[in-house]
Amino acid sequence: MNDVLGRYRALTGQRLFWPAAVLVVMLAANTIYRPGFLSVEVKDGHLYGTLIDILRLSAPLILVALGMTVVISTGGIDLSVGSVCAISGAVACVYISQQPDQNNLPAVLTALAMALGIALVLGAWNGVLVAVIGIQPIIATLILMVAGRGLAQLITEGQIVTINSGPYRAIGLGHVLTLPLAILIALVAALLVAAFTRRTALGMIIESVGGNAEASRLAGIRSGRVVFLAYVLSAGCAAIAGFMMTANVSSADGNAAGLWVELDAILAVVIGGTSLAGGRFFLSGTILGALIIQTLTTTVYAMDISPQTSLLFKAVVVIAVCLIQAPAFRARFGRRRSGAPPPSTVPDQPKAQVPA
């Protein structure tokens, strides 16, 4: 019995166990509600099904959450990723809409390069405010979060810019080797970030800066440069996510594109086990958190929950997930079920010494 209990505790103590369990429960509940939920079929050489849709629609969130993970691990936060998504999508769509042939591949690539370059400049702006000037990350990125929406509206002149470009549409809706291209882009981005942060010393440097920036600086690490690069990376990931968002609808809306994606990205990072205080980060947990959020969104729409209450339902589920995977909450809940008294917080009194 003790051996079984020990194995159970070891299993539930794994960092990804509870998020994975919640995802499995959500998939099972959807399967019960809709028996064909897990079915995947091939049409015209492409995979189709609700599961494929969840993976495809979660690709932009995965990209944004990857960049957010690196920023949070440095002890910062990036609230401007949604605005960067809107700006990058707006720049790309406006440039393509002005071309005589919107299906011209060099023109589409030029639009992507321009939009990505502007996004990297915006990320560098955040990095300078935080790492060089020393403004608090939540304030520095809040500036671009607000101003960026205005910039996106200025680029689109307050209109929804529609395009009819096959190469650009393929970013969000195209297929390669039967899989949606968006999934492959997110997978490649995750592998690249993992390779640079887990196969080199960069990941340890990022975690050391997030754990104690001053101690890292005294140890010879240029913490300011690391923080700067983290915000540039976050903006680059947000730009690619913006391409996907606008490609899905073949239009750019400076007001709606990427709206509130920063909050979903932060939730994905937290669900994945990365602390908002900085330090150690878990990319695999972030990806799992993004899948949970997208599955939850799909579940809300499938169960015909009204839009007015869907955000509340989503918040309740996310809070439940965070509580379930919190070790302190599980320990306290386990003690209450077993009836064991909580550990005393009063320090032990020193024993009186008896003179010889």
Side-chain angles (χ1 to χ4, degrees):
M1 182 63 182
N2 291 334
D3 184 52
V4 174
L5 183 59
R7 291 181 179 180
Y8 170 77
R9 289 178 176 175
L11 179 63
T12 56
Q14 296 293 324
R15 176 174 43 83
L16 296 180
F17 173 81
W18 290 109
V22 170
L23 181 59
V24 170
V25 170
M26 292 174 60
L27 294 176
N30 277 279
T31 304
I32 295 174
Y33 185 76
R34 291 186 298 166
F37 180 81
L38 297 178
S39 63
V40 176
E41 56 183 349
V42 179
K43 292 182 180 179
D44 300 328
H46 302 152
L47 291 177
Y48 287 94
T50 306
L51 288 180
I52 302 299
D53 289 339
I54 289 176
L55 292 175
R56 180 178 62 83
L57 294 174
S58 65
L61 179 56
I62 290 175
L63 285 168
V64 176
L66 286 174
M68 186 71 73
T69 301
V70 177
V71 170
I72 288 178
S73 65
T74 64
I77 198 76
D78 191 353
L79 299 180
S80 66
V81 288
S83 296
V84 173
C85 289
I87 293 171
S88 63
V91 170
C93 289
V94 167
Y95 183 84
I96 293 174
S97 67
Q98 297 173 349
Q99 303 304 308
D101 182 10
Q102 296 187 12
N103 291 315
N104 183 264
L105 183 58
V108 173
L109 294 178
T110 301
L112 297 179
M114 289 175 52
L116 181 60
I118 292 175
L120 294 179
V121 171
L122 295 175
W125 165 261
N126 284 336
V128 169
L129 292 182
V130 176
V132 179
I133 301 179
I135 300 177
Q136 289 291 331
I138 192 171
I139 301 300
T141 57
L142 184 62
I143 295 172
L144 184 57
M145 176 185 176
V146 177
R149 287 290 168 186
L151 180 57
Q153 293 276 38
L154 183 64
I155 294 172
T156 61
E157 298 181 351
Q159 305 295 321
I160 298 178
V161 179
T162 59
I163 59 175
N164 185 21
S165 174
Y168 190 78
R169 190 185 304 113
I171 299 175
L173 301 175
H175 289 77
V176 175
L177 300 176
T178 72
L179 288 175
L181 180 59
I183 297 176
L184 297 179
I185 293 175
L187 178 61
V188 170
L191 291 177
L192 288 176
V193 174
F196 280 104
T197 58
R198 294 309 183 195
R199 297 299 180 181
T200 68
L202 180 60
M204 183 177 62
I205 292 174
I206 292 173
E207 291 178 345
S208 65
V209 170
N212 193 323
E214 182 62 19
S216 300
R217 187 186 66 81
L218 294 176
I221 298 175
R222 297 182 178 180
S223 56
R225 181 176 298 181
V226 173
V227 173
F228 175 84
L229 292 177
Y231 284 95
V232 173
L233 173 63
S234 177
C237 292
I240 301 174
F243 299 153
M244 292 182 182
M245 294 174 184
T246 52
N248 283 334
V249 292
S250 295
S251 63
D253 185 351
N255 186 49
L259 189 62
W260 308 127
V261 71
E262 58 273 357
L263 301 183
D264 283 344
I266 295 171
L267 289 175
V269 174
V270 173
I271 290 174
T274 300
S275 171
L276 289 178
R280 294 194 64 189
F281 62 95
F282 308 100
L283 296 176
S284 56
T286 294
I287 295 173
L288 188 57
L291 292 175
I292 288 176
I293 291 176
Q294 184 57 50
T295 303
L296 179 58
T297 302
T298 303
T299 302
V300 168
Y301 291 151
M303 293 184 175
D304 295 329
I305 297 177
S306 63
Q308 291 77 11
T309 59
S310 61
L311 293 177
L312 177 61
F313 178 79
K314 188 175 181 180
V316 170
V317 174
V318 170
I319 290 174
V321 174
C322 293
L323 287 177
I324 289 173
Q325 69 173 346
F329 177 82
R330 296 203 309 270
R332 177 168 297 184
F333 182 74
R335 285 196 302 269
R336 288 185 176 181
R337 290 187 61 184
S338 62
S344 175
T345 58
V346 180
D348 295 336
Q349 299 295 328
K351 296 180 180 180
Q353 296 185 355
V354 179

